[in-house]
Amino acid sequence: MDHVNLIESHTVESTSELLLMAAISVPISHYMFGLLLTLIVFMYNFLEMHLFQDLFTGFRGQPVTLTFNPSSQLYRDVVSKCKILHGRYLSTPWLCSPHLQTAFLHFFGNSPVVKYRRQIFTTSDGGTIALDWVINADVKKPAIQVNDAVQHADRNSILLIIPGLTSASDSSYIKHLAFKMAKDGWNVVVSNHRGLGGVAITSDCIYSGGWTEDARKVIDHLHCQYPDAPLFVVGTSLGANILVKYLGEDGINVPIVGAAAICSTWDLLICDRFMARRLVQRFYNKAMTIGLKNYAYMHEAVLSRLSNWEGVKKSRWIREFDDSATRILGNFETVDTYYRRCSSANFVGSVMVPLLCVSSLDDPICSSEAIPWDECRLNNNVVLATTQHGGHLPFFEGITANSVWWVRAVDEFFRALECSLHGNRKKEVQVPVSSVTNPLESSIDQAPYEHVSKDGLVTAVSSEVAEAVVQHQENTDQNKTEEESNKSVQQEQSAKMELNLASKQDMVDIVGPVEKRVNELSRQNRKTLWLLAYIAIMSTWPVVGSALAVLFRKKIQKIFSRT
């Protein structure tokens, strides 16, 4: 027995020695190659790269998916004419990952050189907002001259840009959009959030994902200063959430022609859960928290007095920063309460102006789980465009990554909107100018009288002009001739006859379908009654049949007994 155990142990040792000798005999280069291959596979999956997918499709990209209401007039009149939205998106081949694209946008950006002229806008609560107008010399049309004189005659379209979290007019993606639209003839202005763009916080209020009052005041200000200029708005990331929430809150009363929401957060609570789910998302969470803390340190004199400053300094994640600062300044009970109430997904159903929404399904910050697909599909004024790839805001395309896909898509959408009936409709929105504290005095309130012309246009005139118009109308009424009176009487009689005929025809049109429907219901009721009678007979036949059989049997027996 000991001999057998000795043989088995010797065999095991010899096998282990053989395996060790075989492993040693393998060249070190093979191990390095295997380790490198394993690392490549891990990084390919970790970075969510799609190089092989692009290779298998012949680098044609993936089609853009459009979500809209089938009865949407916006889609038929505007979006159906946009070739870019009906095409395909192919990301830059060497940026075949949402994380590579997002990192490249943050650290490099390939943004064009954009020059601004700053206008300081003061809100009613004493807050300061920097409005940066693009003034590049190489654009086709000059930007609006910002000075003490209000230029009401400028009718060129104005594009207002609302940046994302801790972003300003110097961000790369903002420069891509501003330069492209200004070069095509738009008057472009960037509305920097409070405390950003080198402006101090001058009131006890900071911006947040649900603070729409600043956007409302800026839009009203632009509409009052340039009432003849069509106004368009683009919001990006958190700025898109603010824009959609504002559009849903004000509904038809917003004085803009069209809007675009790019990579909106949609549901802040879902995005918060998503940012804590995986290692790569935690990295983004940490990086954005550092940006928020730097913003807080720049305005420590104000925020240390209004927020939980110790909690702000110890914040490691966005949620902790919101709990220590945003929630307190917004007067919310909990962070989740702030996220739920300020999510734009709750307001997209109430949007009443043409809105294009662009989102990427591989967005590493704003999860596709937060996209309100059904709400966008139910609203006739909303068209949602989603791409398979694109990251969070970059959407780079081309070999050199100098072009951004969503910038071209927004430009095409707005131009098609301008040429359609949606862009040409007259805005009849009354903007309360008195609620805005603005150094530029608007002349829109200097004429409280209205003059309605024959073509239906309503214009504001001074009191002297209004009195002259009324006197002229009275003189015209007194100088009417009898012939005109007779003609008017004849026209009234003919109009009454036509009205009677029309009313009779309307009654026929109304009664006819009703009678037809009543006849159909009566026929259906008769069929239903026969069916119920048949069911009743078949269901009660065993009992009734047995009773009838017994009854007839007795009668027959009586008859035969008599005979």
Side-chain angles (χ1 to χ4, degrees):
M1 188 68 180
D2 294 337
H3 180 67
V4 174
N5 292 334
L6 182 62
I7 295 175
E8 290 180 353
S9 61
H10 179 71
T11 304
V12 171
E13 291 178 359
S14 62
T15 304
S16 302
E17 292 176 356
L18 290 175
L19 291 175
L20 180 60
M21 292 178 61
I24 294 174
S25 62
V26 176
I28 190 65
S29 59
H30 291 189
Y31 285 107
M32 296 300 295
F33 178 77
L35 180 63
L36 180 61
L37 183 61
T38 303
L39 181 63
I40 290 175
V41 172
F42 172 78
M43 293 302 297
Y44 187 91
N45 290 281
F46 181 77
L47 296 177
E48 303 176 48
M49 302 182 69
H50 47 84
L51 177 62
F52 292 117
Q53 182 182 2
D54 295 339
L55 181 63
F56 292 151
T57 58
F59 290 100
R60 295 187 300 115
Q62 287 73 37
V64 181
T65 303
L66 297 178
T67 303
F68 56 91
N69 194 307
S71 61
S72 174
Q73 193 72 19
L74 174 64
Y75 176 81
R76 289 195 296 267
D77 296 343
V78 180
V79 180
S80 62
K81 302 175 183 178
C82 298
K83 296 181 180 179
I84 296 176
L85 293 176
H86 286 84
R88 307 168 75 93
Y89 168 67
L90 174 65
S91 63
T92 301
W94 48 277
L95 292 175
C96 54
S97 164
H99 309 293
L100 293 179
Q101 286 218 37
T102 306
F104 184 81
L105 175 68
H106 178 74
F107 293 106
F108 302 99
N110 277 0
S111 59
V113 178
V114 180
K115 298 179 182 178
Y116 298 102
R117 175 176 293 155
R118 173 153 294 184
Q119 176 188 11
I120 298 301
F121 177 75
T122 306
T123 61
S124 57
D125 66 336
T128 303
I129 299 174
L131 301 179
D132 291 338
W133 295 84
V134 178
I135 57 168
N136 278 33
D138 52 351
V139 299
K140 292 183 179 180
K141 297 179 181 179
I144 293 176
Q145 298 297 321
V146 181
N147 48 35
D148 294 336
V150 180
Q151 298 182 358
H152 296 274
D154 198 314
R155 298 185 178 182
N156 294 331
S157 299
I158 298 177
L159 176 65
L160 173 66
I161 303 175
I162 303 177
L165 183 69
T166 66
S167 296
S169 57
D170 59 347
S171 300
S172 297
Y173 65 92
I174 298 294
K175 290 183 178 180
H176 276 284
L177 176 61
F179 183 84
K180 169 67 176 175
M181 303 300 286
K183 188 175 181 180
D184 291 345
W186 293 71
N187 289 317
V188 182
V189 56
V190 182
S191 176
N192 297 283
H193 297 294
R194 298 190 184 203
L196 292 174
V199 177
I201 296 179
T202 57
S203 65
D204 293 347
C205 179
I206 63 172
Y207 79 98
S208 67
W211 180 253
T212 59
E213 193 62 24
D214 287 349
R216 181 177 294 104
K217 296 299 183 182
V218 171
I219 291 173
D220 292 347
H221 162 71
L222 294 175
H223 176 66
C224 291
Q225 298 300 306
Y226 313 100
D228 295 328
L231 181 60
F232 298 80
V233 185
V234 175
T236 57
S237 190
L238 192 70
N241 187 82
I242 296 173
L243 172 61
V244 175
K245 185 174 182 287
Y246 156 71
L247 296 178
E249 289 174 345
D250 288 17
I252 196 64
N253 296 320
V254 294
I256 66 176
V257 178
I262 311 300
C263 295
S264 175
T265 52
W266 292 118
D267 194 312
L268 298 175
L269 186 60
I270 293 179
C271 290
D272 173 66
R273 302 291 190 268
F274 177 73
M275 293 293 287
R277 185 178 302 172
R278 298 174 56 194
L279 177 61
V280 65
Q281 267 70 45
R282 294 196 193 100
F283 174 79
Y284 286 108
N285 199 337
K286 185 69 174 179
M288 289 189 291
T289 305
I290 293 175
L292 287 172
K293 292 175 69 174
N294 292 335
Y295 169 80
Y297 290 144
M298 287 190 299
H299 309 288
E300 181 177 356
V302 177
L303 293 182
S304 61
R305 176 172 52 87
L306 301 175
S307 64
N308 178 11
W309 187 245
E310 291 299 324
V312 169
K313 292 190 296 184
K314 295 179 181 179
S315 299
R316 297 174 300 167
W317 315 110
I318 296 177
R319 183 181 181 86
E320 295 177 353
F321 181 90
D322 289 336
D323 185 41
S324 302
T326 310
R327 175 190 65 83
I328 297 176
L329 273 74
N331 197 23
F332 293 101
E333 296 84 357
T334 64
V335 180
D336 285 355
T337 303
Y338 158 63
Y339 288 157
R340 289 190 179 97
R341 292 182 182 177
C342 297
S343 297
S344 59
N346 303 325
F347 300 88
V348 68
S350 302
V351 174
M352 300 298 291
V353 298
L355 173 64
L356 173 66
C357 304
V358 177
S359 295
S360 172
L361 297 183
D362 65 352
D363 193 319
I365 297 176
C366 301
S367 172
S368 59
E369 301 171 6
I371 298 177
W373 302 92
D374 293 337
E375 289 80 356
C376 293
R377 187 179 293 108
L378 290 176
N379 195 331
N380 292 328
N381 302 304
V382 178
V383 174
L384 172 65
T386 54
T387 60
Q388 291 292 328
H389 309 296
H392 185 68
L393 293 173
F395 287 83
F396 287 116
E397 57 184 355
I399 297 297
T400 58
N402 287 324
S403 177
V404 176
W405 176 84
W406 65 262
V407 171
R408 296 193 301 112
V410 169
D411 184 19
E412 184 184 41
F413 171 74
F414 282 166
R415 291 194 175 279
L417 188 61
E418 273 190 310
C419 298
S420 67
L421 296 176
H422 296 270
N424 294 329
R425 63 181 181 179
K426 183 69 175 178
K427 288 290 180 182
E428 299 179 355
V429 181
Q430 300 296 332
V431 180
V433 184
S434 59
S435 62
V436 182
T437 305
N438 181 23
L440 300 179
E441 182 182 1
S442 175
S443 63
I444 196 170
D445 288 339
Q446 297 177 1
Y449 296 89
E450 292 182 351
H451 169 59
V452 183
S453 58
K454 292 182 179 181
D455 55 359
L457 295 177
V458 180
T459 57
V461 297
S462 62
S463 58
E464 293 81 5
V465 177
E467 293 176 359
V469 171
V470 172
Q471 185 66 30
H472 176 71
Q473 291 178 351
E474 292 177 355
N475 295 334
T476 303
D477 294 338
Q478 293 177 358
N479 295 331
K480 279 188 177 181
T481 60
E482 295 181 359
E483 183 178 355
E484 292 177 349
S485 300
N486 295 333
K487 288 183 179 180
S488 63
V489 172
Q490 293 177 359
Q491 290 177 356
E492 289 178 1
Q493 292 177 354
S494 61
K496 289 180 179 179
M497 294 176 63
E498 292 178 357
L499 182 61
N500 293 332
L501 293 174
S503 60
K504 292 180 180 180
Q505 183 64 32
D506 292 340
M507 290 298 296
V508 172
D509 295 339
I510 294 173
V511 173
V514 174
E515 291 180 351
K516 182 179 178 181
R517 184 58 181 166
V518 170
N519 294 332
E520 291 179 356
L521 290 175
S522 63
R523 288 195 295 269
Q524 292 179 359
N525 289 334
R526 287 196 296 269
K527 293 179 180 178
T528 304
L529 290 174
W530 283 110
L531 180 60
L532 291 174
Y534 173 77
I535 293 173
I537 293 173
M538 294 302 296
S539 59
T540 58
W541 179 251
V543 179
V544 176
S546 301
L548 291 175
V550 173
L551 180 62
F552 281 111
R553 187 180 302 112
K554 290 182 178 180
K555 288 186 177 182
I556 293 173
Q557 290 177 357
K558 289 180 180 180
I559 293 172
F560 281 106
S561 63
R562 291 177 182 177
T563 58

